[in-house]
Amino acid sequence: MPEKAKPRKPRPDFPLFPHASGRWAKKIKGKFSYFGKVADDPEGVAAVEKYLDQRDDLQAGRKPRDKNSGPTVRDLCNGFMASKRHLLDTRELSPKTFTGYHATVLLLADHFGRSRAIADLRPEDFDGLRASFAKTRGPVSLGNEIRRTRTVFKWAYDAGLIDAPVRLGPNFKSPGKRIIRQARHAAGPRMFEAADIRRMLDTAGLPLRTMILLGINCGFGQTDCATLPQSALNLASRWLDFPRPKTAVARRVPLWQETRDSLAAAIEARPKAKGRANDSLLFVTRFGMPYVRMKPKATIEVGKPEFTPIDSVSLVFNRLLTDLDLKRKGLGFYALRHTFETVAGEARDQIAVNAIMGHDPGDIPSLYRERIGDDRLRAVVDHVRAWLFG
């Protein structure tokens, strides 16, 4: 009787092999896993489908769950991003925030496995997730990632995707204040001294010099400068009225003479804006575009971010810091805002400082406070100017 031919792989790159027991198999984490009889599935079509469905669980050392065990991590990520896409389309969510959420759900899918059932997740799974976050992130960034993850799983319950909240465990929380303070102490003060800012002003050209003055006169960050409309300025009255983009809190700031002169020069030298949407902006790049924006990608790839963040303010400012030998980790344009808050606080009118910074205190007195006297706002910015110029 002729010897029975030994089964072979359908093709060289086939991920499974015919085991001596007559089943399609693969060795994963030192153990054999089986995916059906070769005789019943000689081309391995059903076997490969079963392998791909169970691969994430097997590689993670988990027992594969039934497909009908409830919503999966894939369902969670897709549903959450669809809800955020709606908010993005209605301009209730910024592209920057949308991109942050997208990055987080990709991390969740890669860590837990897309086919993992949400009901299968346990506190120890989130301990492992937190540990993976911490390998490449500092305390502040780690806290942001944890908060976004909590938002994703809260959405699953609030949206009715799952019937009960997921238990994330007692350890899945942001680093404590002590840890964050230690990290900040190790990084050094996130502010500039007066002499360093004067060197920047002496060296920077337009419009960067104007932006630096807005940073230290008004507590502006990059986005404040990039979105500042020309209509917010009244150089004759020497005031700037511009709600903070992040919080929509109204801001009214007295402008120094140095700031007014620089603004006038920047307006005179402003390039032509590209597109009607950018016409109103005070600052545009030499290409006529906003200095800070989220650029949509020309080609959208599945599972990849849809936007590329562009921050030309930080780009040119960091070059200036490097040229002046002032560059160090954690020190950028936003440190001007930190500097303003620090120095302005010495004027001993924190309510006026908060108003200029655009902070939302969220306390009861702020709900009743309808305005702050111009003299108090002037006193704050005059104190900072005296510190800067002597």
Side-chain angles (χ1 to χ4, degrees):
M1 184 175 180
E3 185 178 346
K4 189 175 181 180
K6 183 179 180 181
R8 295 183 178 181
K9 289 186 175 186
R11 58 183 188 275
D13 63 344
F14 193 70
L16 310 177
F17 71 91
H19 191 264
S21 63
R23 295 174 290 176
W24 290 113
K26 188 173 183 66
K27 195 170 186 179
I28 302 174
K29 298 182 77 68
K31 296 181 179 180
F32 286 111
S33 296
Y34 302 98
F35 305 95
K37 293 182 178 180
V38 176
D40 296 338
D41 182 24
E43 296 299 317
V45 175
V48 167
E49 183 178 351
K50 184 177 181 181
Y51 161 66
L52 293 175
D53 185 57
Q54 297 181 356
R55 180 178 57 185
D56 290 338
D57 285 335
L58 292 170
Q59 290 179 344
R62 299 186 298 263
K63 181 180 178 181
R65 294 179 64 91
D66 192 303
K67 281 186 176 180
N68 300 319
S69 58
T72 63
V73 171
R74 179 187 289 108
D75 299 326
L76 168 66
C77 295
N78 289 341
F80 178 80
M81 290 311 302
S83 74
K84 296 307 175 185
R85 163 63 68 178
H86 171 72
L87 296 179
L88 177 69
D89 293 341
T90 57
R91 298 186 177 182
E92 297 174 74
L93 190 72
S94 72
K96 181 178 181 180
T97 303
F98 180 85
T99 299
Y101 281 134
H102 195 184
T104 295
V105 299
L106 291 178
L107 291 173
L108 297 180
D110 288 342
H111 182 81
F112 292 134
R114 287 160 173 75
S115 62
R116 181 85 177 271
I118 300 175
D120 189 44
L121 297 175
R122 299 290 183 266
E124 54 267 29
D125 295 310
F126 290 93
D127 287 346
L129 178 65
R130 190 184 191 281
S132 70
F133 287 162
K135 289 179 181 178
T136 56
R137 292 166 177 78
V140 174
S141 180
L142 172 60
N144 291 338
E145 208 65 72
I146 289 173
R147 281 188 289 274
R148 281 193 290 265
T149 299
R150 285 185 169 275
T151 299
V152 172
F153 282 93
K154 182 178 184 300
W155 174 87
Y157 178 65
D158 291 344
L161 182 65
I162 54 178
D163 295 328
V166 175
R167 294 182 182 271
L168 307 182
N171 298 326
F172 195 73
K173 55 187 179 182
S174 300
K177 293 180 179 179
R178 179 180 64 85
I179 300 299
I180 293 176
R181 283 194 293 266
Q182 287 177 340
R184 286 178 174 170
H185 292 329
R190 195 178 174 188
M191 67 172 289
F192 298 106
E193 296 303 330
D196 294 332
I197 298 176
R198 291 197 298 270
R199 289 178 62 201
M200 297 178 204
L201 295 173
D202 290 341
T203 307
L206 293 174
L208 180 58
R209 185 177 190 275
T210 311
M211 295 180 183
I212 293 171
L213 282 165
L214 288 171
I216 193 60
N217 182 169
C218 309
F220 270 26
Q222 301 96 295
T223 302
D224 296 318
C225 293
T227 57
L228 179 64
Q230 298 184 60
S231 60
L233 293 177
N234 189 329
L235 297 181
S237 69
R238 306 180 179 184
W239 286 86
L240 181 150
D241 290 276
F242 179 47
R244 188 182 177 202
K246 183 177 180 179
T247 60
V249 173
R251 288 181 299 190
R252 178 170 165 78
V253 189
L255 297 173
W256 303 335
Q257 183 65 53
E258 295 83 359
T259 308
R260 297 198 303 274
D261 292 344
S262 190
L263 281 164
I267 292 171
E268 182 70 23
R270 176 182 179 271
K272 183 179 179 180
K274 182 178 180 180
R276 294 179 59 184
N278 301 324
D279 279 343
S280 63
L281 297 177
L282 194 149
F283 300 112
V284 292
T285 67
R286 60 192 178 95
F287 302 107
M289 300 299 290
Y291 267 84
V292 177
R293 66 189 190 276
M294 298 296 289
K295 181 182 178 181
K297 290 188 175 180
T299 303
I300 304 300
E301 300 179 50
V302 176
K304 299 292 184 181
E306 299 180 32
F307 300 91
T308 299
I310 296 176
D311 183 353
S312 297
V313 177
S314 291
L315 182 66
V316 295
F317 186 75
N318 288 339
R319 287 175 183 167
L320 176 65
L321 292 185
T322 300
D323 291 343
L324 297 176
D325 199 25
L326 295 173
K327 183 61 182 171
R328 62 176 171 81
K329 185 178 179 180
L331 201 62
F333 188 88
Y334 211 74
L336 290 168
R337 185 168 164 82
H338 284 240
T339 305
F340 177 87
E341 169 73 39
T342 302
V343 178
E346 297 170 356
R348 300 181 182 180
D349 189 347
Q350 192 60 44
I351 290 175
V353 175
N354 290 345
I356 293 173
M357 292 284 286
H359 288 317
D360 180 12
D363 56 13
I364 297 300
S366 67
L367 298 177
Y368 289 88
R369 188 180 303 113
E370 299 298 332
R371 66 185 180 195
I372 297 174
D374 287 353
D375 57 330
R376 295 173 65 182
L377 301 176
R378 285 196 193 94
V380 168
V381 299
D382 286 348
H383 177 82
V384 178
R385 185 184 181 280
W387 169 84
L388 178 59
F389 296 113

